[in-house]
Amino acid sequence: MPRELSIFGLLIPTLLPLFFASMLLQGVLDRLLGAAGVYRHIWHPALARLALFACIFGGLTAALYH
Amino acid sequence: MTPEPAAPSALPCLHWLRRELRGWADADGERVLFVVRTLAAAYAALWLAFRLGLDSPATAMTTTFVLALPSSGQVLEKALYRLLGTIVGCAAALALTALFPQQAPPLFAGLALWIALCTAGASMHRNQQSYSFVLAGYTACMIVVPALDAPAGVFALAVTRTTGVGLGVLVAAAVHDVLLPRRQGLQVMRTVQARHDRFLGFCREVLEHRLPPAEAELNHLRFAADIAALESGRAAAFFEAGPAHTRQLHAFNGAFMTALTTFHTLHRLLHRQRHETASPVPALIEPLEALVAQALAPGADASLAGLPAALEQAAGAGRAELPADDGADARRWRIDFDTAAKLAARFAHDLAAFNGIHDSLAHRKCMQVSEPLAYAPKTPPGIVAASGLRAACAMLAAATLWYWLAWPAMANALVMTTIFCALASGSPRPTAMVRQVLTGFVIGAPLIYATEFLLVARADGYPMMMLATAPLLAFAAWLMTDPKRAGVGIGMAMFSSQFLAPANVMHYDAGAVINNMLSQLGGVLLAFVIFHVVLPGHTMGNRAHVAAALWREALAACTARLRGRGERLRHRFDNRVRDLLAQLNAAAGSAPSPETRAVVRQGLTLLELGHAIIELRTLLRATSPGPVAGVLDGTLRALAAWLAAPREDTRTAAIYAVQAAGPTVRAGLDKAAGDDAARLRLALTGLHSIHTSLLDQAPQPLPAATAVAAPAVPPVNPNGTPDAP
């Protein structure tokens, strides 16, 4: 994957679209987990949510810089 | 609060300490936590902005203060809408600059139009979506104005703004959601519980004749505000992790409105009947009222289940005691009694539904709710148009002043005026809000100056800078937690974060700081003046506008398309009327004036009338053509004519039509059987309640203040003419 994307001549770091993609993914996962009632058994749901996001974004970033 | 366990005799001191600590944690502890969260978000955003080398670290910091709200759900909701509004606003700014490069007059005209559209859009909603609209408007102004002389830099400005806001949004959302958060979902459940208890208590007091009618009206006003508050709380809780009871809360609000309306109709009917001294009906209804009141007592869930049967039995016993002769009085009393008994039965049914939803919410049971309809607010069009016009006027006035004064710093004032005109337009008391923010600015200015040049100038490194600015920012955040001074705190926080946040390359210029402070103060002052001068009567919840809108809604109940069994129309009508009452409540404050109460009374009567009309319309649809259908249609036409032009002659015509319909329906009832008979009986009770509420609209002295307060709109009284719909 290229580290920078050229959009109409503007160089945009690929991290940015990856960030949005991981937000989207996290949103979908979040709804699924919420509907399944997983959050009810977790001590700090918001922290779990943030950690989940960090994992997704970190994973995508690792794939980019592999 | 749960009762304290008995104190162990050995440790009374420890027990006292624990109680004191718990009291402190409930009250001030929450506020301290809020201050901690807010400062953590602000400094984290600023630090990250420096690390990432953003062009405007101050924007990121200001964003965290704008998003500092009590619960995590509210922060997440506002964060999303802030991001959306900023992106749309930046796009609009780019488009405007591209259309009119270096042509100030058309550029300003376009900008004014954009801001007017956005502000008008904002005042149509009364939730965080409206913030998105407001922001889309003034963000465009914030980018276009600095780019006036150098249009080539507009893209860089837009990117700077978006990245700054984006960073602030991310940091604020993460910090407020993760660091010692306060959950919106818990708040919503607490609200649901409190509302349920309060409603049952209110009904019991009314049924036991312990509440004067004026108090009951005020209660209706508060309940309307509660419904709106629960809806916005629900919307915020949706953004949190965990179960979102969206459908159940919609159903809860819907069931509550239905029960409240039925109860109000019943209450008014009983109240009117009590004025008739010769009638035996009030005495016969008394046992029914006592039965319902008993079922409402705390912990009487069992008797609520058996309530419909008990009511049926009591009604049968009461009906047997009515005089059996065929005189006009006796016949009227029978209809009176039947109407009241039917309403009591319907109230028992509504109450059971309301209680069921409440129980399933309280015990976190998953309940299948059949497609509940959402509560949707709407603002009277006059207010929407006025807020758009006002925002455009404010911007153009500030631009003119800028041109005339030729003071470069005035550009800040232009932006500030636009921001505060847009922000305050959704508030029921915009002048009070702008005054609070102005107070925050005025108190903050010398403090900021001192902090900047005595402390920050000597600070060495980021931790020292934090130490230097923390007292002032903490003070502002503390003020934000006080509902009475929240505006002051927000003003101070926004102002100080703009001036205190160090730039990438620091330079200390006392003259520039004073210039900027003065111009920003001037901008807010101009916004304050604009709200006093431009259409001051056209603000959210204005009495005259609400009164006119209430008549329009009642007319819509007559004329709007009817589908199915009228549920959708009934829900929409209920919704709109409650929303208008909630707006009225927000504007009236804690002690509504007599004129406001008159509008409330009017609104409640129209609510009752509208429901009776919708019911009559659904009955009419099911009735086969014939003389009965003919008179019902005629009655509805007469009622529509009266609602469209509420005058004495139209009212008399409506009363005549209702009175004329009675005998025809009764004649039809003698011939009908089965379903038809039941339908005609319902129609008869509907006509009866319409008749009594029409008689209620008898001429009343016009409250003089209504006419004085709003010269732009014709005074509205029961017989006055509101805006032509």
Side-chain angles (χ1 to χ4, degrees):
Chain A
M1 237 190 302
R3 299 210 178 158
E4 275 178 331
L5 295 175
S6 165
I7 298 176
F8 302 121
L10 272 176
L11 285 181
I12 287 176
T14 314
L15 274 183
L16 197 66
L18 279 189
F19 186 80
F20 288 123
S22 45
M23 266 175 117
L24 202 73
L25 253 170
Q26 204 266 353
V28 173
L29 261 177
D30 192 45
R31 288 289 146 224
L32 283 179
L33 292 179
V38 173
Y39 286 128
R40 240 172 283 165
H41 305 291
I42 286 177
W43 163 68
H44 196 324
L47 195 59
R49 215 147 65 133
L50 189 67
L52 191 65
F53 175 76
C55 289
I56 295 172
F57 185 49
L60 290 180
T61 314
L64 176 64
Y65 286 97
H66 186 61
Chain B
M1 241 168 76
T2 47
E4 293 288 327
S9 54
L11 296 164
C13 196
L14 200 69
H15 177 66
W16 172 84
L17 192 69
R18 225 180 64 192
R19 204 180 49 211
E20 286 294 306
L21 273 178
R22 190 175 297 171
W24 180 85
D26 279 345
D28 282 355
E30 287 276 352
R31 301 176 68 181
V32 171
L33 285 185
F34 174 79
V35 173
V36 168
R37 277 200 302 269
T38 308
L39 288 192
Y43 288 124
L46 193 60
W47 183 78
L48 269 176
F50 280 128
R51 288 289 304 179
L52 298 174
L54 296 195
D55 286 337
S56 68
T59 308
M61 194 174 183
T62 314
T63 293
T64 62
F65 279 107
V66 172
L67 295 181
L69 288 168
S71 74
S72 66
Q74 285 168 315
V75 175
L76 292 173
E77 188 189 24
K78 197 170 184 182
L80 174 69
Y81 288 124
R82 183 166 172 93
L83 205 57
L84 285 179
T86 304
I87 291 170
V88 173
C90 285
L94 291 183
L96 279 170
T97 322
L99 280 176
F100 313 108
Q102 285 184 318
Q103 295 169 297
L107 183 60
F108 271 103
L111 193 58
L113 186 68
W114 171 252
I115 287 170
L117 284 178
C118 286
T119 312
S123 65
M124 280 202 278
H125 302 86
R126 254 175 322 294
N127 42 24
Q128 293 296 346
Q129 281 156 26
S130 95
Y131 181 64
S132 230
F133 278 88
V134 168
L135 204 63
Y138 73 68
T139 302
C141 180
M142 287 171 102
I143 291 169
V144 165
V145 169
L148 206 56
D149 291 330
V154 70
F155 188 73
L157 275 172
V159 170
T160 305
R161 171 83 188 159
T162 315
T163 44
V165 168
L167 180 67
V169 158
L170 285 177
V171 171
V175 168
H176 282 270
D177 197 32
V178 173
L179 185 70
L180 306 167
R182 185 167 176 233
R183 295 268 156 243
Q184 180 71 18
L186 293 178
Q187 299 297 315
V188 169
M189 294 320 284
R190 234 173 268 164
T191 317
V192 162
Q193 188 60 43
R195 164 109 68 82
H196 178 256
D197 295 350
R198 211 149 64 82
F199 176 59
L200 296 195
F202 163 72
C203 292
R204 208 170 62 244
E205 275 189 13
V206 169
L207 286 172
E208 290 169 355
H209 313 300
R210 281 189 285 145
L211 210 63
E215 278 299 304
E217 273 158 21
L218 283 187
N219 268 299
H220 276 281
L221 205 54
R222 302 274 143 74
F223 279 134
D226 279 2
I227 293 170
L230 183 64
E231 172 52 27
S232 70
R234 180 207 64 73
F238 180 75
F239 289 87
E240 285 178 353
H245 302 277
T246 305
R247 292 160 71 87
Q248 271 161 301
L249 285 169
H250 279 319
F252 180 79
N253 254 347
F256 178 67
M257 284 195 277
T258 312
L260 198 59
T261 310
T262 312
F263 183 72
H264 176 252
T265 314
L266 177 67
H267 172 209
R268 293 297 304 168
L269 191 76
L270 297 176
H271 188 71
R272 279 183 211 121
Q273 287 175 359
R274 216 159 284 128
H275 282 298
E276 220 177 311
T277 40
S279 167
V281 174
L284 293 176
I285 287 291
E286 200 73 38
L288 269 74
E289 288 181 65
L291 268 177
V292 178
Q294 229 170 45
L296 290 173
D301 285 346
S303 60
L304 198 59
L307 186 61
L311 276 179
E312 184 98 16
Q313 204 183 359
R319 201 172 289 124
E321 282 186 42
L322 279 167
D325 63 347
D326 217 27
D329 272 349
R331 199 191 291 153
R332 210 183 60 234
W333 290 337
R334 272 207 295 281
I335 298 178
D336 269 348
F337 183 84
D338 280 345
T339 312
K342 205 156 272 162
L343 273 174
R346 190 193 296 173
F347 178 61
H349 173 257
D350 290 349
L351 203 61
F354 175 64
N355 244 356
I357 294 170
H358 168 256
D359 284 349
S360 78
L361 268 173
H363 301 131
R364 289 164 189 275
K365 265 187 295 191
C366 227
M367 198 177 87
Q368 279 307 315
V369 186
S370 59
E371 206 48 59
L373 299 163
Y375 177 88
K378 186 171 178 273
T379 313
I383 292 171
V384 173
S387 50
L389 182 70
R390 191 184 295 123
C393 280
M395 207 217 81
L396 292 178
T400 315
L401 271 180
W402 184 23
Y403 179 76
W404 183 60
L405 288 174
W407 176 27
M410 187 72 191
N412 288 324
L414 169 61
V415 173
M416 279 321 228
T417 311
T418 312
I419 290 178
F420 281 98
C421 260
L423 275 182
S425 68
S427 151
R429 272 168 294 177
T431 46
M433 179 186 159
V434 177
R435 195 190 306 129
Q436 279 213 345
V437 171
L438 199 58
T439 315
F441 271 32
V442 170
I443 299 174
L447 295 176
I448 292 165
Y449 192 84
T451 311
E452 177 80 358
F453 291 102
L454 295 182
L455 299 176
V456 177
R458 285 173 204 178
D460 185 15
Y462 196 74
M464 281 298 143
M465 195 278 305
M466 273 169 70
L467 212 61
T469 50
L472 181 54
L473 294 178
F475 176 55
W478 178 261
L479 280 179
M480 280 159 81
T481 58
D482 182 352
K484 277 195 199 116
R485 299 191 187 81
V488 181
I490 291 169
M492 198 186 284
M494 279 178 65
F495 204 37
S496 39
S497 62
Q498 276 182 37
F499 284 99
L500 290 185
N504 283 324
V505 182
M506 222 28 213
H507 62 274
Y508 294 94
D509 181 351
V513 167
I514 292 178
N515 240 342
N516 276 338
M517 275 187 178
L518 278 180
S519 74
Q520 296 205 357
L521 264 173
V524 183
L525 199 65
L526 185 62
F528 184 68
V529 172
I530 292 273
F531 270 107
H532 267 294
V533 174
V534 183
L535 300 171
H538 289 57
T539 49
M540 197 65 78
N542 177 279
R543 203 167 48 235
H545 281 277
V546 168
L550 284 169
W551 281 92
R552 275 198 299 272
E553 289 305 332
L555 180 65
C558 268
T559 54
R561 238 180 82 197
L562 191 70
R563 255 175 284 164
R565 297 186 55 218
E567 266 99 7
R568 198 166 280 274
L569 182 60
R570 193 171 296 138
H571 175 82
R572 206 191 69 157
F573 174 67
D574 234 5
N575 226 311
R576 295 276 166 87
V577 173
R578 301 269 176 222
D579 176 51
L580 287 168
L581 290 179
Q583 289 173 40
L584 196 63
N585 181 61
S590 53
S593 63
E595 295 86 43
T596 304
R597 283 168 182 238
V599 175
V600 176
R601 207 172 309 131
Q602 181 78 65
L604 291 174
T605 315
L606 286 174
L607 183 68
E608 190 185 334
L609 202 64
H611 274 277
I613 286 172
I614 293 172
E615 189 159 337
L616 215 54
R617 287 183 65 192
T618 49
L619 287 173
L620 179 62
R621 270 190 18 157
T623 313
S624 46
V628 173
V631 291
L632 287 184
D633 194 45
T635 312
L636 284 172
R637 271 173 212 284
L639 283 169
W642 171 63
L643 288 169
R647 288 189 309 265
E648 191 52 37
D649 57 329
T650 48
R651 185 176 78 96
T652 323
I655 293 180
Y656 269 128
V658 174
Q659 277 171 345
T664 316
V665 175
R666 232 168 284 140
L669 185 61
D670 290 339
K671 279 179 261 167
D675 266 2
D676 274 352
R679 206 175 298 137
L680 289 184
R681 221 169 274 130
L682 264 179
L684 210 54
T685 53
L687 283 175
H688 184 68
S689 69
I690 290 176
H691 184 237
T692 46
S693 59
L694 274 177
L695 289 182
D696 251 21
Q697 305 276 325
Q700 283 166 8
L702 169 67
T706 320
V708 178
V713 179
V716 177
N717 72 324
N719 310 299
T721 319
D723 285 354

